[in-house]
Amino acid sequence: MENTNICPVDYVVDLISGKWKVLIIWHLKFSKKRFGQLQRNLDGVSKKVLSQHLRELEKSGLIKRDVIPSLPVQVEYSLTERGMELSTILEEINRFGSVLLKGPTIS
Amino acid sequence: MENTNICPVDYVVDLISGKWKVLIIWHLKFSKKRFGQLQRNLDGVSKKVLSQHLRELEKSGLIKRDVIPSLPVQVEYSLTERGMELSTILEEINRFGSVLLKGPTIS
DNA sequence: CAGCATCCATGGAGATACTG
DNA sequence: CAGTATCTCCATGGATGCTG
């Protein structure tokens, strides 16, 4: 997770290398979610890790964080345009990975 | 690097999450290379890590390993068809990442 | 040359408790 | 509810030496 990368590929890979990053993006792709919802959806994440990941994704402009000044506070997360773009790449990766997983290593 | 993933995306991400994986694929994309060449190209990799990565990439069918029975032994690594496919995805990621890195977080 | 065995360092992830 | 603060643990990467 080193930001000192000059390589854009490594940069993006780092972005989605976090243990839950892909899942977070996946879930937000379909609808915005609140913190607690996400935590329940990603079965097993600790709050610490979840908020770390969310902050990183936000910092790189992939997700948006909206604070709703209710009581108690609610926070909604959603994908940005860029996050949407990334999710289409993830779909490609998904297709590719599916083939890899099914087809035995023919090399 | 858990193989127990059901998610194809995570599977692929794990595949290219190793610190040098992307670079290895990148270098092999243009020409096959010997172990020592790779080690020199990826400035700073230890032999241990390099061979670990190579074995993993081979195991998942992304690269091919050819042993040339000379003295001393030479080993050539090259991309498989699947590795080539992946490298096109990496190029997309590259484009996307470049935008991310240049443009400030407009969200 | 290619690569394995060993030991060590580091940081990312988990568990838990506390707060505005 | 949505986090932050600590502490611990383990996997990954690094350094070095040995071998067919």
Side-chain angles (χ1 to χ4, degrees):
Chain A
M1 217 72 70
E2 5 174 296
N3 293 352
T4 45
N5 269 327
I6 331 102
C7 172
V9 180
D10 281 330
Y11 178 73
V12 175
V13 171
D14 278 351
L15 273 182
I16 58 181
S17 287
K19 184 159 184 186
W20 306 90
K21 300 270 182 71
V22 170
L23 271 178
I24 292 173
I25 294 172
W26 193 257
H27 278 281
L28 292 184
K29 180 187 176 67
F30 300 109
S31 65
K32 58 171 114 175
K33 297 241 164 106
R34 305 226 318 264
F35 188 89
Q37 284 182 288
L38 276 173
Q39 195 180 11
R40 264 169 273 120
N41 289 340
L42 316 189
D43 188 57
V45 230
S46 67
K47 294 180 178 184
K48 190 199 73 169
V49 173
L50 180 56
S51 63
Q52 276 181 349
H53 285 185
L54 287 172
R55 261 180 283 130
E56 288 173 23
L57 290 172
E58 187 196 2
K59 197 167 140 197
S60 40
L62 296 176
I63 69 176
K64 199 157 74 81
R65 181 177 181 273
D66 285 309
V67 179
I68 300 169
S70 56
L71 218 59
V73 166
Q74 294 192 3
V75 181
E76 278 184 353
Y77 292 94
S78 54
L79 281 195
T80 61
E81 284 301 311
R82 285 181 176 176
M84 285 296 185
E85 280 181 61
L86 179 55
S87 80
T88 65
I89 293 184
L90 291 184
E91 282 183 31
E92 270 187 75
I93 295 181
N94 184 48
R95 278 191 286 281
F96 179 72
S98 300
V99 176
L100 265 195
L101 282 173
K102 287 181 185 168
T105 304
I106 315 173
S107 72
Chain B
M1 217 71 72
E2 6 176 294
N3 294 352
T4 43
N5 271 327
I6 332 101
C7 172
V9 180
D10 281 331
Y11 178 74
V12 174
V13 171
D14 278 349
L15 273 183
I16 59 181
S17 287
K19 183 159 183 186
W20 307 90
K21 300 270 182 72
V22 170
L23 271 178
I24 292 174
I25 294 173
W26 193 258
H27 278 281
L28 292 184
K29 178 187 178 63
F30 301 109
S31 66
K32 58 171 113 174
K33 297 240 164 106
R34 305 224 319 264
F35 188 90
Q37 284 182 289
L38 276 173
Q39 195 180 10
R40 265 169 273 121
N41 288 340
L42 315 188
D43 188 58
V45 228
S46 68
K47 295 180 177 183
K48 190 197 74 170
V49 173
L50 179 56
S51 63
Q52 275 181 349
H53 286 183
L54 287 171
R55 257 179 286 129
E56 288 173 23
L57 290 171
E58 186 196 1
K59 197 168 141 198
S60 39
L62 296 176
I63 69 176
K64 198 158 74 81
R65 181 178 182 274
D66 284 309
V67 179
I68 300 169
S70 57
L71 218 58
V73 166
Q74 296 192 1
V75 181
E76 279 184 350
Y77 292 94
S78 54
L79 282 196
T80 62
E81 283 300 313
R82 285 180 176 176
M84 285 296 185
E85 279 181 64
L86 179 55
S87 79
T88 66
I89 293 184
L90 291 185
E91 283 184 30
E92 268 186 78
I93 295 180
N94 184 49
R95 278 190 288 280
F96 179 73
S98 300
V99 177
L100 263 197
L101 282 174
K102 288 182 185 169
T105 304
I106 315 174
S107 73

